[in-house]
Amino acid sequence: MEFSIKQIAHLLGGEVKGDGDTIIHNFAKIEEGKPGCISFLANAKYESFIYGTASSAVLVAKTFEPKEPISTNLILVDDPYLAISTLMAEYQKLTQNSNSGIDAMTSIASNAEIGKNVYIGPFSYVAENAKIGENTQISPQVYIGKKVSVGRNTIIHPGVKIYQDCEIGDNCVIHAGAVIGADGFGFVPDADGIYQDVPQLGNVIIENNVSIGANATIDRATMGSTKVCNGVKIDNMVQIGHNVEVGENTVIAAQTGVAGSTKIGKSCVIGGQVGFAGHLKIADGTQIGAQSGVGKNITEPKGAYSGRPLLPIKDHLKLLVNLRRLNENLKK
Amino acid sequence: MEFSIKQIAHLLGGEVKGDGDTIIHNFAKIEEGKPGCISFLANAKYESFIYGTASSAVLVAKTFEPKEPISTNLILVDDPYLAISTLMAEYQKLTQNSNSGIDAMTSIASNAEIGKNVYIGPFSYVAENAKIGENTQISPQVYIGKKVSVGRNTIIHPGVKIYQDCEIGDNCVIHAGAVIGADGFGFVPDADGIYQDVPQLGNVIIENNVSIGANATIDRATMGSTKVCNGVKIDNMVQIGHNVEVGENTVIAAQTGVAGSTKIGKSCVIGGQVGFAGHLKIADGTQIGAQSGVGKNITEPKGAYSGRPLLPIKDHLKLLVNLRRLNENLKK
Amino acid sequence: MEFSIKQIAHLLGGEVKGDGDTIIHNFAKIEEGKPGCISFLANAKYESFIYGTASSAVLVAKTFEPKEPISTNLILVDDPYLAISTLMAEYQKLTQNSNSGIDAMTSIASNAEIGKNVYIGPFSYVAENAKIGENTQISPQVYIGKKVSVGRNTIIHPGVKIYQDCEIGDNCVIHAGAVIGADGFGFVPDADGIYQDVPQLGNVIIENNVSIGANATIDRATMGSTKVCNGVKIDNMVQIGHNVEVGENTVIAAQTGVAGSTKIGKSCVIGGQVGFAGHLKIADGTQIGAQSGVGKNITEPKGAYSGRPLLPIKDHLKLLVNLRRLNENLKK
């Protein structure tokens, strides 16, 4: 990257405060700033670093009012985090060169349909009747089961395993080690208390623009489909049970688990290490704090909750205070 | 599948209420019913759907008393969930065609013993002195370490890794990405606080009819064996520490962790995201609620517990109520 | 192994109490003792077993005072756990024979630099400009991305995936299924609430003598590096977010998650299933109990904390007692 601050400001629709001719060639966090780098300030927690950063430019909000003199150059934008992200995406486009072609050391069924400009890396396996859409990148050591369909422009990282019949959309990213379509956890005890398998005959449908984190697991439905809708972002080691549905543009942080048949609404924000019981309905726009336990339906949209027991966020914070007090009260 | 309702009722020992000649060709959840499909009603929560389902038949309990008129056909059985599961298993047998043969793109030690009718998929590796029993299916990209033995009729899904010396029984299913026999987490600090490895010289023994979920990890013993006994069902991303034992027919839901040397009894039911401390003994038939923390021995069989602190389930529920009250009381 | 008790005592700098000429050929846990085996007693919980163990020798602390007669032979040492560990390591050295050479069924870029005496197993992939240091063992089915560097004497177990640009030090052990360098979880909502990717342009740096557990995930930094310092031991299924730093000789037990940009100090001991919020600083020598939730900075070194809310360990234990009492008080 070799851009002047002026050029960057122009790209981002921002305003330069300082020397627009300085050349930027890399990114750095504001607290680890270096000459020639651009940083950003989005979280007030990091404000103190802007007064001493060695970076040559910092993206800040138009509303930012410095409390001390600043020696670096500023680019004023509406949303610094969105702006740095846009700039990084441009940089990535310039520097990334995709792999292409189908490696000789692959195992691809003769009746699999492979679109134009697809990459399939070494030691990957594509089973009978699978379909891979154009421009999709299948990294090394990936497993694509029978009748799986993968859309266009999707990136499947090394070692991902997708079981038979599952459907993956366009513009998805699936990170290494994720497992899509393993059997849901269904067993039924017989008269002797010995568990018999409940066959899992459904599939997983992942729509478009979905990200799935490393080593996440999304189980196939018992019958019908487990569904991850458009624009959902799922972090590492998240477990999605059979017949679960995750609504559009919902975000789920790492190590959260969702038990079977629960339906999570659209545009929810779910923290890490949360657990959802099965067969629940969670309203659109719900926010759930990290490590919460969700055991009941949430019917009202856009609520914010946390804890075990799950409480509205204000009550949860009160409870944390009260638990501390409990210790003191009971001392007396 | 092309069966009449009458034929299905006969197979399941059930009784038809309605038109026994209607043909069924697929399965559907009761709330997603379609003509030509069979559904089931096992959970009272879903009762309302039976009055309007579009499915052509529904499996219900003999004891079920409808509150409204039902237009679909019924098959009355003792246990609808067991019945649908049996029916699905029959269907699966008819439709599933196993892979067979040993792919050319495998790496198999010359002294490995491979039973009759074994399938070994592309890019799988079988080390020296390993033994694979007859009819076992080894999917692509599987790793079977030195001296590992795998029994008969076992299914090992893509990308499973089994370290040296481990033993897997008959009729097991191990899902994609599971790791069996990685080193237990054993380190001992030297005088400078630098950790030295404690070699993990034992193995993992998985008996018969065991299911292991996707991306689960079962560590090898320091010395002796980590044991998962007959009929145990382990869900995705469960962590089993070194020298743990899980008793027969115990079920463990997703993302639970069991620390080293803990012995869990037979026929226990463990919820998801539970944590067990190390060196515990848990009595047969114990039930543990999701997200619980188990820090002490449980000596009395068949108890039900939940929470952190772990309490008998009734006390746990009381505590949840009391915590809500605490907020109100301390407001005053 | 064929050593006399005398020889073992000599190796460990211990003192024999009993028959030094008895031959030892294997290890056993004290509660599973067998003739010809050596056991150890480090945890007082297991003391009762020493009076009846069938093992031919037991390593015990010099300070150990038997309460009953002991029929087995003893070796008195300063630290029995360190001693057994040293002995097991010696045994492992004698019995382990490393793999060597580069398998023909690998895919290795022509410009990758491969050191002397490196093993690369079947179906492993090494991308352009990667460097592998001497004596390093790369098991089958491993993925080494572009420009990755791996140091000397490092063991990478089957199926590990290391994304581009990451750096792994000397003498590390990375267990099966671990994913190093997947994208950090960074998304920024646009005006329509649709999430755009924040490119993750940084890397992961793992220093020397680090152990990473099976199916653990360590995300690459947004910019700069996610750092795991010398001597850190990370257990199975631990999640390390982008731009996190884990200080030297810190130990993290299974299924713990650390959110983005948190800095954990040196010589900390973190239990299993703990969650850390993002952007925290945790002082050196901090101890955190299993299943805790850490939401604030910890500034004082060497503190011990537990629970949700996180409290000093003594207060946490008090709170557990008080919660039990709460149930009783509110009954009245």
Side-chain angles (χ1 to χ4, degrees):
Chain A
M1 184 162 81
E2 285 284 331
F3 291 112
S4 70
I5 291 178
K6 227 170 5 188
Q7 287 174 310
I8 292 172
H10 181 74
L11 173 77
L12 300 173
E15 183 191 334
V16 178
K17 217 167 150 181
D19 174 15
D21 294 325
T22 301
I23 298 297
I24 298 299
H25 55 76
N26 209 344
F27 298 89
K29 301 197 87 178
I30 194 165
E31 69 273 30
E32 300 167 351
K34 286 175 205 158
C37 288
I38 186 164
S39 298
F40 71 104
L41 174 63
N43 183 337
K45 220 170 165 174
Y46 289 83
E47 181 183 328
S48 65
F49 293 107
I50 201 172
Y51 305 112
T53 188
S55 282
S56 299
V58 179
L59 289 160
V60 294
K62 285 177 177 164
T63 55
F64 174 65
E65 295 183 7
K67 296 186 190 104
E68 298 177 28
I70 293 178
S71 57
T72 185
N73 305 296
L74 302 181
I75 303 177
L76 310 182
V77 292
D78 289 328
D79 179 339
Y81 193 55
L82 185 56
I84 193 88
S85 160
T86 303
L87 188 62
M88 290 167 81
E90 287 301 316
Y91 174 75
Q92 203 175 34
K93 267 189 228 161
L94 291 174
T95 57
Q96 213 174 38
N97 52 347
S98 293
N99 289 303
S100 64
I102 294 175
D103 196 274
M105 280 183 287
T106 50
S107 176
I108 299 176
S110 56
N111 67 359
E113 288 179 34
I114 312 293
K116 279 185 199 167
N117 197 27
V118 161
Y119 167 65
I120 304 182
F123 317 124
S124 279
Y125 174 88
V126 179
E128 297 88 63
N129 299 301
K131 288 183 198 178
I132 314 289
E134 59 187 44
N135 300 319
T136 281
Q137 301 260 314
I138 309 235
S139 302
Q141 301 148 339
V142 166
Y143 174 91
I144 306 280
K146 292 178 188 172
K147 297 189 197 168
V148 165
S149 72
V150 180
R152 293 171 300 168
N153 305 311
T154 281
I155 298 173
I156 300 186
H157 283 282
V160 167
K161 311 301 178 202
I162 305 176
Y163 282 51
Q164 75 279 4
D165 300 320
C166 293
E167 302 172 21
I168 315 290
D170 300 339
N171 305 309
C172 292
V173 177
I174 305 182
H175 277 285
V179 176
I180 313 292
D183 285 351
F185 196 61
F187 301 97
V188 55
D190 65 16
D192 301 325
I194 294 178
Y195 288 92
Q196 307 300 324
D197 281 22
V198 178
Q200 305 289 313
L201 302 178
N203 74 346
V204 175
I205 297 177
I206 291 178
E207 296 186 347
N208 304 321
N209 304 307
V210 171
S211 285
I212 309 272
N215 286 346
T217 55
I218 303 184
D219 284 350
R220 69 194 306 103
T222 311
M223 44 187 88
S225 298
T226 302
K227 274 185 76 174
V228 179
C229 297
N230 290 317
V232 167
K233 307 297 172 186
I234 287 178
D235 200 356
N236 296 348
M237 282 190 267
V238 166
Q239 150 72 2
I240 303 288
H242 46 179
N243 289 96
V244 164
E245 287 182 27
V246 183
E248 293 191 8
N249 301 315
T250 280
V251 173
I252 304 180
Q255 297 179 318
T256 282
V258 185
S261 296
T262 283
K263 315 289 181 205
I264 296 179
K266 299 177 188 179
S267 300
C268 296
V269 177
I270 314 295
Q273 297 184 336
V274 172
F276 288 85
H279 300 277
L280 302 180
K281 283 197 180 167
I282 307 300
D284 293 350
T286 297
Q287 302 195 15
I288 305 284
Q291 299 191 318
S292 297
V294 185
K296 291 183 185 165
N297 291 335
I298 295 178
T299 53
E300 205 171 322
K302 298 198 178 177
Y305 305 85
S306 198
R308 305 174 191 164
L310 191 76
L311 295 172
I313 186 80
K314 280 182 187 176
D315 294 335
H316 170 69
L317 295 174
K318 232 181 274 170
L319 181 60
L320 294 188
V321 172
N322 286 335
L323 285 175
R324 286 195 170 88
R325 277 191 206 157
L326 181 68
N327 262 1
E328 290 154 24
N329 289 344
L330 290 186
K331 261 183 217 165
K332 294 168 195 173
Chain B
M1 181 162 83
E2 286 284 330
F3 290 113
S4 70
I5 291 179
K6 225 168 15 187
Q7 286 174 311
I8 291 172
H10 181 75
L11 173 76
L12 300 173
E15 183 192 334
V16 179
K17 219 167 149 181
D19 174 14
D21 294 324
T22 301
I23 297 298
I24 298 299
H25 53 79
N26 209 343
F27 298 89
K29 301 197 85 176
I30 195 165
E31 69 272 29
E32 301 166 350
K34 287 176 204 157
C37 287
I38 186 165
S39 298
F40 72 104
L41 175 62
N43 182 337
K45 219 170 165 173
Y46 289 83
E47 184 184 326
S48 65
F49 293 107
I50 201 173
Y51 306 113
T53 188
S55 282
S56 300
V58 179
L59 290 160
V60 295
K62 285 177 176 164
T63 56
F64 173 65
E65 296 184 7
K67 295 183 191 110
E68 298 177 28
I70 292 178
S71 58
T72 185
N73 305 296
L74 302 180
I75 302 176
L76 310 181
V77 293
D78 289 329
D79 179 340
Y81 193 56
L82 185 56
I84 193 88
S85 158
T86 303
L87 188 61
M88 289 168 81
E90 287 302 316
Y91 173 76
Q92 202 175 35
K93 266 189 226 162
L94 291 174
T95 57
Q96 212 174 42
N97 52 347
S98 293
N99 290 303
S100 63
I102 294 174
D103 195 274
M105 281 182 288
T106 50
S107 176
I108 300 176
S110 56
N111 66 358
E113 288 179 34
I114 312 292
K116 279 185 200 169
N117 197 27
V118 162
Y119 166 65
I120 305 183
F123 318 124
S124 279
Y125 174 88
V126 179
E128 296 88 63
N129 299 302
K131 288 183 197 178
I132 314 287
E134 61 188 41
N135 301 318
T136 281
Q137 301 260 315
I138 310 235
S139 302
Q141 301 148 338
V142 166
Y143 174 91
I144 305 280
K146 292 178 188 173
K147 296 190 197 167
V148 165
S149 73
V150 180
R152 293 170 301 168
N153 306 310
T154 280
I155 298 173
I156 301 186
H157 283 281
V160 167
K161 311 300 178 203
I162 306 176
Y163 283 51
Q164 75 278 6
D165 300 320
C166 294
E167 302 172 21
I168 315 289
D170 300 339
N171 305 309
C172 292
V173 177
I174 305 183
H175 277 285
V179 176
I180 313 292
D183 285 351
F185 196 61
F187 301 97
V188 55
D190 66 15
D192 300 323
I194 294 178
Y195 289 92
Q196 307 299 324
D197 281 23
V198 178
Q200 305 289 313
L201 302 177
N203 74 346
V204 175
I205 298 177
I206 290 178
E207 295 185 348
N208 303 321
N209 305 307
V210 171
S211 285
I212 310 273
N215 286 346
T217 55
I218 303 183
D219 284 349
R220 69 195 306 104
T222 310
M223 46 187 84
S225 299
T226 302
K227 274 184 75 174
V228 178
C229 297
N230 290 317
V232 167
K233 307 297 174 186
I234 287 179
D235 200 355
N236 296 348
M237 282 190 267
V238 166
Q239 150 71 2
I240 302 288
H242 46 179
N243 289 96
V244 164
E245 288 182 27
V246 183
E248 292 191 9
N249 301 315
T250 280
V251 173
I252 304 181
Q255 297 179 317
T256 282
V258 185
S261 298
T262 283
K263 316 289 181 204
I264 297 179
K266 299 178 188 180
S267 300
C268 295
V269 177
I270 314 295
Q273 297 183 336
V274 172
F276 288 85
H279 299 278
L280 301 180
K281 283 196 180 170
I282 307 299
D284 292 350
T286 297
Q287 301 194 14
I288 305 284
Q291 299 190 316
S292 297
V294 185
K296 290 183 184 167
N297 290 336
I298 295 178
T299 52
E300 204 170 323
K302 299 198 178 181
Y305 304 84
S306 199
R308 304 175 192 164
L310 192 76
L311 296 172
I313 185 79
K314 281 181 187 175
D315 293 334
H316 169 70
L317 295 173
K318 233 182 275 172
L319 181 60
L320 294 188
V321 172
N322 285 336
L323 285 175
R324 285 195 170 87
R325 278 191 206 158
L326 179 67
N327 261 359
E328 289 154 25
N329 288 344
L330 290 187
K331 262 184 219 168
K332 295 169 196 173
Chain C
M1 183 161 85
E2 286 283 331
F3 290 112
S4 70
I5 291 177
K6 225 169 12 188
Q7 286 173 310
I8 291 171
H10 181 74
L11 172 75
L12 301 173
E15 182 191 335
V16 179
K17 216 165 151 183
D19 175 15
D21 294 324
T22 301
I23 297 297
I24 298 299
H25 54 77
N26 209 342
F27 298 90
K29 301 196 86 176
I30 195 165
E31 68 272 30
E32 301 166 350
K34 287 174 203 157
C37 288
I38 185 164
S39 298
F40 71 104
L41 175 62
N43 182 336
K45 219 168 165 175
Y46 290 82
E47 181 182 329
S48 66
F49 293 106
I50 201 172
Y51 306 112
T53 188
S55 282
S56 300
V58 179
L59 289 161
V60 295
K62 285 177 176 162
T63 55
F64 173 66
E65 295 184 6
K67 296 183 189 109
E68 299 176 28
I70 292 178
S71 58
T72 185
N73 304 296
L74 301 181
I75 303 177
L76 310 181
V77 293
D78 289 327
D79 179 341
Y81 193 55
L82 184 57
I84 194 87
S85 159
T86 303
L87 188 62
M88 290 167 81
E90 287 300 317
Y91 174 75
Q92 202 174 35
K93 268 189 228 162
L94 290 174
T95 58
Q96 213 173 39
N97 52 346
S98 293
N99 290 302
S100 64
I102 293 174
D103 195 275
M105 281 183 286
T106 50
S107 176
I108 300 176
S110 56
N111 67 358
E113 288 179 34
I114 311 292
K116 279 187 200 168
N117 198 26
V118 161
Y119 167 65
I120 304 182
F123 317 124
S124 279
Y125 174 87
V126 179
E128 296 88 63
N129 298 301
K131 288 184 198 179
I132 313 289
E134 61 188 42
N135 300 320
T136 282
Q137 301 260 313
I138 309 232
S139 303
Q141 301 149 339
V142 166
Y143 174 91
I144 306 280
K146 292 178 189 173
K147 297 190 196 166
V148 165
S149 72
V150 180
R152 292 171 301 168
N153 305 310
T154 281
I155 298 173
I156 300 186
H157 283 282
V160 168
K161 310 301 177 203
I162 306 176
Y163 282 51
Q164 75 279 6
D165 300 320
C166 294
E167 302 173 22
I168 314 290
D170 300 339
N171 304 309
C172 292
V173 178
I174 305 183
H175 277 285
V179 176
I180 314 292
D183 286 350
F185 196 59
F187 301 97
V188 56
D190 66 15
D192 301 323
I194 294 178
Y195 288 92
Q196 308 300 323
D197 281 23
V198 178
Q200 305 289 311
L201 302 178
N203 74 346
V204 175
I205 298 177
I206 291 178
E207 296 186 347
N208 303 321
N209 304 308
V210 170
S211 286
I212 310 272
N215 286 346
T217 55
I218 303 183
D219 284 349
R220 69 194 306 103
T222 311
M223 46 187 87
S225 299
T226 302
K227 274 185 75 175
V228 179
C229 297
N230 289 318
V232 167
K233 307 298 174 186
I234 286 179
D235 200 356
N236 295 349
M237 282 190 267
V238 167
Q239 150 71 3
I240 302 288
H242 46 179
N243 288 95
V244 164
E245 288 183 26
V246 182
E248 294 192 8
N249 301 316
T250 280
V251 173
I252 304 181
Q255 297 179 318
T256 282
V258 185
S261 297
T262 283
K263 316 287 180 204
I264 297 179
K266 299 179 188 181
S267 300
C268 295
V269 177
I270 314 294
Q273 298 183 336
V274 172
F276 288 85
H279 300 276
L280 301 180
K281 284 198 180 168
I282 307 300
D284 293 350
T286 297
Q287 302 194 15
I288 305 284
Q291 299 190 318
S292 298
V294 185
K296 291 184 186 166
N297 290 335
I298 295 178
T299 52
E300 205 171 322
K302 299 198 179 177
Y305 305 85
S306 198
R308 305 174 193 165
L310 191 76
L311 296 171
I313 187 78
K314 281 182 187 173
D315 294 334
H316 170 70
L317 296 173
K318 233 181 276 170
L319 181 61
L320 294 187
V321 171
N322 286 336
L323 286 175
R324 286 194 170 86
R325 276 190 208 159
L326 180 69
N327 262 359
E328 290 155 24
N329 289 344
L330 291 187
K331 262 182 217 166
K332 293 169 195 171

